[in-house]
Amino acid sequence: MNKTMRITVDGRKIRASPGQTIMDACDDAGVYVPRLCDVEGLVPQGSCRVCTVKADGHTVAACTEPAEPGMKVENDTLEIKNYRRDLVRMLFHEGNHLCPICEASGRCELQAMAYRLRISQATKYPYLQPVRPVDASHPDIALDNNRCILCGRCIRASRDVDGKHVFEYVGRGIHKRIGVNAENLAATNASIDDYAMSLEVCPVGCIIRKREGFFAPIGARQFDREPIGMDVETRQEHHVPKRRPDPAFGNDGTK
Amino acid sequence: MIDILWAVQDKLGCIDGEAMSLIAEKTGTYRVEVEGVVSFYAFFSSVRKGKIVIRLCDDIVDRHAGVFAVAKSFENTLGIKLGETTPDHWFSLEYTPCIGMCDQAPAALVNDVVVTNLTPAKVKGIVRTLKKTRDPRALVTKTGDGNNGHRLIAAMVKNNIRHTGPVLFDKSPAEAGLKQALTLSPGGVLELVVDSRLRGRGGAGFPTGKKWRYAAAAQAALRYVICNADEGEPGTFKDRVLLTERAQLLIEGMTIAAYAVGAAEGILYLRAEYRYLKAYLEHILARRRSRGLLGDNIMGKAGFHFDIRIQMGAGAYICGEESSLISSCEGKRGEPKNRPPFPVQSGYLGLPTVVNNVETFCCVPPLIARGPKWFTSIGTPHSSGTKLLSVSGDCTRPGVYELPFGVSVQDVLDKAGAKDPAAVLIGGASGDMIGRPEFQRRICFEDLPTAGAITTFSSHRNVLEIANYYMDFFIDESCGYCTPCRVGNVFMKQGLEKIMQGLGEAGDLDYLRELGKTIIATSRCGLGHTSPNPILSSMKSFPLVYSALLNAHPNEFQAGFNIQSALDEARVIAKRRSLIYDVSYGDEE
């Protein structure tokens, strides 16, 4: 059962272990599959769809689709790139993403993904310009939901790593947003030291750590130094297998 | 969880923050989880609703039948707008998507009571009765045919059974299928179902025998059989009729499924809109228990134990998707689960679960009793048996028709007395819209598959308005889990509206096609895989209707941008008109 298998990604043969997702196999082999909702250390959920690949002719989310022996994966093709561009554009247009005034600029994964996918022109989509309430009640943390891309990383980090369950999805459809476990964030047991509140978790500028803004000058910000995905693409050299939490959690957060 | 929320909603008229905290405390969950569930379902509300909630069905068929005028009349009579509650907290008025009464539209739900064939003139009387009696049941003065007159249903709903076929309305004696099944081994039953080539009647058409075999083969101590009675596809109402008239057959079918796959527990997931059938279905279950047809050692078969509970839905179309339905049964937000694992491997509570549609289960007893040869002799090679169709729209005989697979669209239209049919939607919101040249196509999995909805539109209906309605429906019903379906559908609608407003250009059709392609390719579940269909298929079937609305702009101006409407908001803020763009500026001062 523990035998490794081979899959092909854009013609390149890579190894995958049984039960591994396409994404994890690619990461271990140093092949980057763009993603926003998935991050190392959390259970993948397949919601942003930016990691869409074609596996044996079917479009699937690489972060949740198990690798199968001999699977042929298309990752870096024009068709897939177009889907990803559309998805990233949708996220930009769904919220209010004004990079020049955003504190997360330069370390924002949405912004970095747009650069990686070469989205630099105004797009054809309409702007939805939501007006969602900002929750600045907590002494150390503010939440600007207008920048949220609903990746749910804070939900999983708080639930599975912090054991707190500060966040959860509420509402549905285009009105879906992230709710907090009380009237507002100050009334929850959220703390600035939670993993959920760390810079690693929120990919955009929705979770704001108060009094820490603009800590890195332009030119020295995370993605100024290295484009998104390069950490994976250079991973082959050190070959550290990817970290994933205990699968006992299940993929829908059942405790 | 859903049952608790229903109880609180019924008692308090809302599930507010305080109630959520209390529920979370008592059930050992988190308040925000409870809020997540409450805010997911249309029938739950965090703000207090009236004791009597009037939900008008705003499906396209109801719209064409005049629901807007009825709504206006309700607004005037009650003195509130749609979406509001009267100050005395007695009445709330709102719209709701298809309630499965398109054959007697316009219709409404008054709490659980269905009111059909509404007209603006009837509204005053309805409100008067409600104010006098404070009891929606008083609105039912005459009950419908068949079991609609049963004391536990007592609904004014009509069955409108227009054509009975050999399978669902088979005259075999009751329990003949179950009796026959119990003489066989579970494997023997599986074999019959496989040989019959029965396919799921919910739309996707997955081979039922194959599904059951997977579930039977999965290693587990307990397996589940779930009946999907969450018929939410706009224009579909055939399961309503089956639940009303063929409930015994349905439970018999579920029991046979349980025997075949080795399940001990079953769930009937009933959509909130059909809550008026719940007491009757409970009664049928109780009667079967007392007759030894449910419970321990069914029909004296030692070791065969199976029982069924009813799980109420709470208003969410997506719960018709099998993994969402399972999430909902588990008391969660009705969001689809990642696959694999498939429900047959790991479904309800992580156990192997068979989910089938009402009609699928109803096909099973006659199929077992009469054998697969008989079943495959009806229909086409890849679609054996019959299909129960819900026909509504512009026709004189709306209702349900049980017809063999392979019947042509034209035949159905003729039977239903379609008036001047110009466009027909096959399979509800997620289906395809076809025009006259395609009416000879056949209804079967080889050609035009459908979960049963056939909605016919006459030549004076506006195809774009119809497509726009269905897009609205998908926007409201998307669970919001994945980006393309949550956001992309909104863009599809805005793109269509631009064309409807006469601001479209030729490039906008390509825009819609490309956007639709991305949504279909990248969405996570069936909702997003089909949501662009009404627009894309109507563009394909009615290209001239679309192109007639487009503008040619030789000077390359963007027609989509209208300077006058763009300035409107600024005019309001500045409290004056634009010096440059308002030509007559200053004239009136």
Side-chain angles (χ1 to χ4, degrees):
Chain A
M1 199 49 199
N2 276 328
K3 269 180 85 175
T4 57
M5 53 185 144
R6 282 183 182 280
I7 64 172
T8 318
V9 183
D10 295 330
R12 190 183 141 189
K13 282 205 163 56
I14 66 167
R15 257 200 300 246
S17 39
Q20 214 176 13
T21 61
I22 296 174
M23 171 86 88
D24 285 356
C26 286
D27 276 1
D28 285 350
V31 176
Y32 181 66
V33 182
R35 82 290 305 261
L36 288 171
C37 72
D38 189 41
V39 67
E40 187 160 0
L42 298 179
V43 185
Q45 69 174 23
S47 65
C48 76
R49 315 306 284 181
V50 173
C51 72
T52 294
V53 293
K54 252 192 184 170
D56 292 337
H58 300 285
T59 44
V60 295
C63 72
T64 53
E65 190 72 14
E68 299 284 346
M71 196 179 239
K72 284 195 173 50
V73 178
E74 292 168 43
N75 176 38
D76 204 23
T77 64
L78 185 63
E79 184 191 357
I80 296 293
K81 268 196 258 189
N82 280 336
Y83 292 147
R84 289 177 184 157
R85 283 193 193 115
D86 280 355
L87 293 166
V88 169
R89 284 181 185 131
M90 283 180 197
L91 291 171
F92 264 105
H93 286 243
E94 181 189 19
N96 298 335
H97 297 282
L98 308 162
C99 300
I101 58 149
C102 181
E103 193 270 314
S105 190
R107 61 172 172 80
C108 169
E109 293 178 30
L110 181 67
Q111 183 193 39
M113 194 60 72
Y115 280 125
R116 184 176 171 114
L117 297 172
R118 307 243 181 278
I119 301 170
S120 50
Q121 299 291 309
T123 72
K124 54 202 167 162
Y125 295 149
Y127 287 96
L128 300 185
Q129 298 175 335
V131 184
R132 304 174 189 143
V134 173
D135 182 350
S137 60
H138 195 280
D140 302 320
I141 309 155
L143 301 176
D144 184 352
N145 267 304
N146 296 296
R147 297 174 185 162
C148 178
I149 57 166
L150 294 164
C151 67
R153 279 155 58 162
C154 57
I155 298 176
R156 286 170 282 159
S158 179
R159 183 188 64 205
D160 302 343
V161 180
D162 300 327
K164 281 190 174 179
H165 222 124
V166 171
F167 301 108
E168 186 54 80
Y169 287 122
V170 297
R172 80 176 183 208
I174 194 71
H175 304 295
K176 187 170 178 169
R177 58 187 178 82
I178 306 274
V180 297
N181 190 31
E183 286 301 323
N184 56 36
L185 191 65
T188 68
N189 57 351
S191 149
I192 190 75
D193 300 322
D194 288 351
Y195 178 61
M197 311 303 167
S198 70
L199 292 174
E200 276 173 64
V201 172
C202 183
V204 288
C206 175
I207 297 180
I208 301 164
R209 296 168 67 91
K210 291 186 181 174
R211 297 177 297 280
E212 286 181 22
F214 302 100
F215 60 89
I218 291 175
R221 301 168 306 181
Q222 184 184 349
F223 298 121
D224 292 337
R225 298 192 306 260
E226 178 183 283
I228 194 165
M230 228 170 109
D231 53 337
V232 171
E233 285 160 339
T234 52
R235 187 188 291 246
Q236 207 175 16
E237 291 157 30
H238 353 169
H239 204 84
V240 189
K242 200 174 170 189
R243 179 166 59 91
R244 282 289 182 200
D246 185 352
F249 273 118
N251 66 7
D252 52 1
T254 28
K255 278 162 284 185
Chain B
M1 178 59 82
I2 307 288
D3 296 345
I4 297 172
L5 297 179
W6 264 115
V8 175
Q9 178 75 40
D10 283 346
K11 184 100 182 158
L12 304 178
C14 69
I15 307 165
D16 58 11
E18 201 182 327
M20 289 183 214
S21 298
L22 199 67
I23 294 166
E25 196 184 308
K26 295 279 179 204
T27 56
T29 53
Y30 294 86
R31 175 191 138 130
V32 71
E33 275 189 290
V34 179
E35 189 186 351
V37 178
V38 170
S39 61
F40 191 86
Y41 296 97
F43 279 66
F44 297 147
S45 169
S46 59
V47 291
R48 194 173 151 200
K49 290 263 176 77
K51 288 200 174 63
I52 297 173
V53 183
I54 301 166
R55 293 185 171 91
L56 297 168
C57 176
D58 81 333
D59 186 75
I60 192 78
V61 175
D62 294 73
R63 289 185 189 194
H64 289 159
V67 74
F68 289 145
V70 172
K72 196 94 226 129
S73 191
F74 267 112
E75 285 184 335
N76 292 339
T77 318
L78 289 169
I80 51 170
K81 295 263 169 239
L82 275 151
E84 290 179 353
T85 299
T86 54
D88 60 3
H89 285 286
W90 265 104
F91 294 99
S92 292
L93 182 64
E94 55 190 59
Y95 278 133
T96 191
C98 187
I99 60 171
M101 300 289 160
C102 286
D103 54 337
Q104 36 215 307
L109 286 172
V110 182
N111 289 354
D112 302 342
V113 176
V114 183
V115 187
T116 57
N117 294 316
L118 287 162
T119 59
K122 286 184 187 168
V123 170
K124 265 207 178 104
I126 289 172
V127 173
R128 201 181 315 122
T129 308
L130 286 174
K131 281 193 170 158
K132 206 169 88 193
T133 61
R134 306 284 183 191
D135 182 4
R137 280 174 300 181
L139 298 174
V140 183
T141 47
K142 188 165 173 263
T143 56
D145 55 334
N147 282 334
N148 289 304
H150 191 281
R151 69 187 161 82
L152 291 172
I153 300 182
M156 66 167 80
V157 178
K158 290 200 180 83
N159 283 328
N160 287 329
I161 301 170
R162 307 280 180 179
H163 193 280
T164 56
V167 178
L168 299 167
F169 295 94
D170 177 35
K171 299 277 189 302
S172 292
E175 319 311 331
L178 183 56
K179 233 179 252 166
Q180 173 70 19
L182 294 182
T183 63
L184 303 166
S185 69
V189 176
L190 285 176
E191 205 163 299
L192 290 184
V193 178
V194 171
D195 289 348
S196 74
R197 300 200 291 274
L198 174 65
R199 296 172 70 162
R201 268 35 176 171
F206 192 82
T208 307
K210 207 167 159 188
K211 189 185 257 187
W212 291 12
R213 269 203 175 145
Y214 283 136
Q219 291 294 320
L222 191 60
R223 292 182 191 82
Y224 272 87
V225 168
I226 298 184
C227 172
N228 182 348
D230 191 53
E231 169 177 67
E233 194 70 54
T236 315
F237 44 82
K238 46 115 187 154
D239 289 346
R240 175 197 89 211
V241 178
L242 291 176
L243 290 163
T244 308
E245 298 301 329
R246 308 298 279 161
Q248 294 277 8
L249 188 71
L250 164 68
I251 309 297
E252 187 187 342
M254 285 179 76
T255 312
I256 295 170
Y259 177 70
V261 305
E265 289 179 30
I267 301 173
L268 174 61
Y269 187 92
L270 186 64
R271 73 185 299 222
E273 290 80 353
Y274 292 167
R275 213 175 164 202
Y276 74 99
L277 296 170
K278 185 170 183 256
Y280 171 72
L281 293 169
E282 295 278 15
H283 162 76
I284 294 287
L285 292 175
R287 258 187 50 192
R288 291 185 74 87
R289 274 181 212 115
S290 67
R291 287 168 55 207
L293 297 169
L294 278 178
D296 291 345
N297 304 317
I298 291 170
M299 281 186 132
K301 183 88 179 175
F304 177 38
H305 316 308
F306 179 65
D307 210 337
I308 297 172
R309 73 172 171 96
I310 295 178
Q311 173 65 57
M312 283 311 303
Y317 167 74
I318 185 68
C319 289
E321 193 279 337
E322 64 176 1
S323 69
S324 304
L325 185 146
I326 291 170
S327 298
S328 184
C329 287
E330 292 169 342
K332 297 180 193 159
R333 294 167 59 82
E335 288 175 345
K337 294 169 186 267
N338 284 322
R339 277 163 297 189
F342 291 90
V344 285
Q345 303 156 325
S346 169
Y348 182 64
L349 304 175
L351 297 162
T353 305
V354 164
V355 184
N356 278 129
N357 179 265
V358 172
E359 189 184 343
T360 316
F361 282 124
C362 285
C363 289
V364 172
L367 174 169
I368 300 287
R370 292 176 179 270
K373 270 223 176 78
W374 166 80
F375 194 74
T376 50
S377 72
I378 309 164
T380 66
H382 294 283
S383 321
S384 44
T386 60
K387 184 78 196 85
L388 194 58
L389 301 170
S390 319
V391 187
S392 65
D394 297 316
C395 57
T396 49
R397 289 184 297 279
V400 295
Y401 295 78
E402 187 190 354
L403 297 166
F405 271 113
V407 65
S408 76
V409 175
Q410 188 63 55
D411 277 353
V412 177
L413 294 176
D414 291 344
K415 282 191 171 58
K419 289 179 283 192
D420 176 27
V424 177
L425 189 68
I426 310 288
S430 61
D432 284 329
M433 203 190 289
I434 60 168
R436 283 195 191 106
E438 296 183 274
F439 286 176
Q440 288 310 321
R441 289 180 67 183
R442 297 178 311 149
I443 292 164
C444 55
F445 293 106
E446 295 96 316
D447 191 0
L448 279 172
T450 171
I454 308 281
T455 319
T456 155
F457 301 101
S458 71
S459 58
H460 66 278
R461 304 293 186 196
N462 179 346
V463 169
L464 275 75
E465 183 203 325
I466 297 166
N468 193 33
Y469 162 72
Y470 288 118
M471 217 53 236
D472 251 338
F473 171 80
F474 282 124
I475 291 169
D476 286 344
E477 296 297 333
S478 163
C479 77
Y481 192 99
C482 69
T483 311
C485 175
R486 183 181 70 239
V487 187
N489 286 334
V490 178
F491 294 171
M492 284 294 281
K493 180 183 157 63
Q494 294 196 355
L496 181 68
E497 281 180 342
K498 185 181 159 194
I499 296 173
M500 289 171 78
Q501 287 159 6
L503 299 171
E505 301 147 67
D508 286 327
L509 297 183
D510 293 330
Y511 166 77
L512 286 173
R513 269 189 284 266
E514 277 165 32
L515 177 58
K517 189 179 162 205
T518 300
I519 297 171
I520 291 169
T522 60
S523 285
R524 184 164 170 260
C525 80
L527 197 149
H529 294 155
T530 54
S531 61
N533 276 357
I535 293 183
L536 297 183
S537 68
S538 62
M539 276 165 61
K540 208 168 118 199
S541 299
F542 305 95
L544 294 177
V545 178
Y546 278 85
S547 57
L549 286 163
L550 299 178
N551 294 303
H553 278 267
N555 53 8
E556 292 186 354
F557 279 158
Q558 273 193 32
F561 181 71
N562 181 326
I563 184 69
Q564 292 302 333
S565 61
L567 281 172
D568 270 349
E569 199 181 344
R571 284 189 187 103
V572 173
I573 295 167
K575 297 200 178 86
R576 63 172 176 81
R577 288 171 295 165
S578 158
L579 190 58
I580 302 166
Y581 289 101
D582 292 316
V583 182
S584 59
Y585 178 72
D587 285 359
E588 285 156 35
E589 263 128 298

